[in-house]
Amino acid sequence: VLRTTLDHRIQSLAETALRDAVARLRHAGVTNGSVVVIENRSAAVRALVGSADFANVADQGQVNGAIAPRSPGSALKPFTYALAFELGLATPDTVLADVPLNYTGYEPENYDERFRGPVSAREALAQSLNIPAVQLLQAVTPDALHRLLRDLGLTTLTRPTAHYGLALTLGGVETTLLELTNAYATLARLGVHR
């Protein structure tokens, strides 16, 4: 007897949604993806789809994208903001400066290479701006974010904090979709980690 928390209906919906999304986005270069669905209340994994098509060798269908380490990109920024809010260093209405900065040779840029000047933390996070996120990380310290992410179950942060530096909030580390999804579920449970 194999016992699992997967829900057959949710698993089937996730598989179909992923196949449809990859087909829709193929023209933009998307050839694969993965899905993890975690029930916030219980922390049970209800769906886990490792690839759009297991049999598709050309698109690496046999690589389980749900557990393969990948760069999370901007997906770590909310944890920097949550830490800043928890420490009382910022609120959603705190004005942050989206201006050119230089941290001893490290010059973060926004994805569109534009600067917006003063923006609220709420706006900066909603627009996924890099410079305000790096500023907040400087305030909360990379060590604090590194500890938080490890506490949230990101096992791939195996190097000292100095290795990642301020780029940590911008996804300068690899993690798995499964671990990242569980970290987000912790946010949904208002900080209760399972």
Side-chain angles (χ1 to χ4, degrees):
V1 174
L2 177 65
R3 299 196 186 281
T4 178
T5 60
L6 296 177
D7 179 304
H8 178 71
R9 184 183 61 81
I10 297 171
Q11 178 74 22
S12 181
L13 286 169
E15 290 172 3
T16 300
L18 179 58
R19 272 194 308 273
D20 292 349
V22 168
R24 249 187 351 270
L25 297 170
R26 191 165 288 279
H27 74 279
V30 175
T31 60
N32 212 337
S34 53
V35 175
V36 172
V37 177
I38 292 180
E39 182 179 86
N40 291 335
R41 182 180 39 80
S42 67
V45 176
R46 296 303 184 199
L48 191 145
V49 186
S51 69
D53 180 0
F54 182 82
N56 186 333
V57 175
D59 293 333
Q60 300 179 342
Q62 294 180 3
V63 173
N64 185 342
I67 60 171
R70 298 277 193 263
S71 169
S74 292
L76 298 181
K77 287 177 187 169
F79 300 101
T80 301
Y81 283 81
L83 194 54
F85 297 163
E86 181 182 15
L87 295 173
L89 299 173
T91 70
D93 294 324
T94 296
V95 176
L96 303 170
D98 184 31
V99 297
L101 293 175
N102 185 320
Y103 294 98
T104 329
Y106 174 56
E107 298 179 19
E109 293 183 357
N110 292 318
Y111 62 94
D112 61 2
E113 299 179 349
R114 291 181 35 233
F115 303 101
R116 287 154 184 82
V119 292
S120 70
R122 177 183 288 109
E123 284 178 83
L125 181 56
Q127 293 180 40
S128 191
L129 299 178
N130 291 341
I131 295 165
V134 170
Q135 287 175 335
L136 280 182
L137 180 56
Q138 171 105 16
V140 303
T141 76
D143 281 331
L145 180 61
H146 188 269
R147 272 192 310 278
L148 174 64
L149 295 173
R150 296 274 304 156
D151 289 348
L152 290 172
L154 274 63
T155 61
T156 52
L157 283 118
T158 57
R159 297 182 181 204
T161 306
H163 172 78
Y164 307 109
L166 293 172
L168 179 59
T169 191
L170 306 180
V173 63
E174 291 185 331
T175 188
T176 70
L177 180 60
L178 180 59
E179 290 177 352
L180 186 59
T181 304
N182 196 40
Y184 268 86
T186 301
L187 287 178
R189 290 187 296 268
L190 302 177
V192 176
H193 182 67
R194 295 191 174 118

